[in-house]
Amino acid sequence: MTHSEVEVTAELVRDLLRDQHPDLADYPVRLGARGWDNQLWRLGGDLAVRLPWATESSDALLYKEYTWVPTLAPRLPLPVPVPQRFGEPSERFPRPWIVTTWVSGTPADRAPITRAVESATALAVFVSALHQPASEQAPLGRDRGGPLADYSEGFARQLASATELGLIRDPGAVRAVWEHAVAAPNWDGPPLWLHADLHPANVLTTVGTLCGVIDFGDLCAGDPACDLAAAWILLPDGAIDLFHNTYQPTPDAATLRRARGYAVLRALAGLLIGHAGDRGLPGGKPTWGPPAHRALRRLISTGDY
């Protein structure tokens, strides 16, 4: 992580708005959240300002969201942050930034989904609506949405790290799930639009129910199994089959196998990020560990591999 050299404050956000979008400058500004790539500042009641702060790649991700999310949002059945304004790099802040709509709710890593039926249905309907053939100009994913075999080196590295740290009791069982998934036929349909980053910190809940999806920075085209993995990571026990039965078109066996492989990758990353957070290390998030452990338990306790 490479934190921005410019300290982001409410005063800076107001100054940026006065310079480029003065009609918004008098709205109340307060910190909303500090994410992996961006800081989020509430702007009045209905808007938010997103500014890159922690990674070099976040500039390109903001450009991508500003370009593509407004064209996809109208067909999505859950609230998503829709870019409204663009902020050009300047002497005051040398990176791009955007103004988006604000989506209410609490990230699921802090307020997990508990209402299984409603949330499994909502997630499946949302992903079904998003998974349409992408345009030829659709952006490529950063290590997401491609053939699972392309990620075998990363899987091996993460599994070794998690095992060495004592986070996994049975690495052989985890490896078996992965090998079964990698052996499945690759996606042979058209590249579909993917969120590609559906983990607990990127979905919002209210009263235990899924109520919004945020952070489209990894939006790309590819294998729908990448997003179908989210059911293992986000939903409570007993909801996976309902999700699969609700998603349209009905996924074939090979796609479901690949989805489990993507879910293993996501769970391993969550274990390591959660472990780093427990120890106060840079980039660590302690709330990521529990959902990753739950997902991995479900993945290795389900047969068929």
Side-chain angles (χ1 to χ4, degrees):
M1 300 179 72
T2 55
H3 292 279
S4 173
E5 295 180 358
V6 178
E7 181 182 3
V8 180
T9 64
E11 290 73 21
L12 174 63
V13 174
R14 290 193 192 94
D15 288 342
L16 292 174
L17 291 168
R18 289 191 185 99
D19 289 345
Q20 299 191 38
H21 301 287
D23 58 312
L24 302 178
D26 292 331
Y27 284 64
V29 175
R30 64 190 187 278
L31 180 63
R34 290 186 175 95
W36 190 266
D37 295 299
N38 303 290
Q39 290 194 28
L40 188 70
W41 289 77
R42 294 287 306 272
L43 182 61
D46 301 320
L47 298 173
V49 180
R50 292 183 65 195
L51 305 98
W53 79 299
T55 59
E56 295 180 358
S57 63
S58 50
D59 294 16
L61 304 185
L62 286 180
Y63 278 117
K64 183 197 302 185
E65 290 191 58
Y66 185 79
T67 301
W68 293 104
V69 172
T71 67
L72 300 175
R75 71 168 183 243
L76 301 179
L78 287 172
V80 302
V82 183
Q84 305 292 304
R85 307 283 184 90
F86 190 82
E88 297 287 349
S90 64
E91 291 185 5
R92 199 182 297 275
F93 188 74
R95 306 183 70 175
W97 48 278
I98 59 175
V99 178
T100 73
T101 55
W102 173 259
V103 181
S104 297
T106 304
D109 61 323
R110 291 191 276 120
I113 292 171
T114 56
R115 297 175 65 179
V117 173
E118 296 91 336
S119 297
T121 301
L123 181 61
V125 171
F126 174 86
V127 177
S128 297
L130 176 61
H131 285 181
Q132 303 299 320
S135 69
E136 293 183 358
Q137 295 76 34
L140 298 175
R142 48 174 185 175
D143 298 326
R144 302 155 202 245
L148 271 181
D150 292 353
Y151 315 128
S152 291
E153 183 177 339
F155 163 79
R157 184 171 58 250
Q158 289 185 321
L159 179 61
S161 296
T163 302
E164 183 178 349
L165 292 169
L167 302 176
I168 294 178
R169 296 180 180 178
D170 188 353
V174 177
R175 190 176 296 106
V177 177
W178 174 258
E179 291 176 350
H180 183 256
V182 170
N186 289 333
W187 174 249
D188 61 0
L192 303 184
W193 280 113
L194 308 175
H195 180 281
D197 205 21
L198 290 173
H199 58 71
N202 281 347
V203 301
L204 305 178
T205 67
T206 182
V207 197
T209 302
L210 178 65
C211 68
V213 178
I214 61 175
D215 195 348
F216 282 73
D218 280 299
L219 183 74
C220 63
D223 181 356
C226 177
D227 281 351
L228 298 185
W232 295 98
I233 306 298
L234 300 175
L235 299 176
D237 291 347
I240 303 294
D241 287 344
L242 175 59
F243 171 85
H244 291 159
N245 291 335
T246 305
Y247 176 83
Q248 295 296 323
T250 302
D252 59 24
T255 298
L256 296 182
R257 284 172 60 183
R258 295 192 308 276
R260 289 180 67 189
Y262 277 109
V264 166
L265 288 174
R266 175 64 66 191
L268 289 175
L271 289 181
L272 295 171
I273 293 170
H275 180 268
D278 290 339
R279 281 150 182 76
L281 300 175
K285 298 177 183 293
T287 55
W288 286 35
H293 279 287
R294 288 193 295 269
L296 205 57
R297 171 182 54 80
R298 288 197 295 264
L299 285 160
I300 65 177
S301 64
T302 304
D304 302 328
Y305 64 87

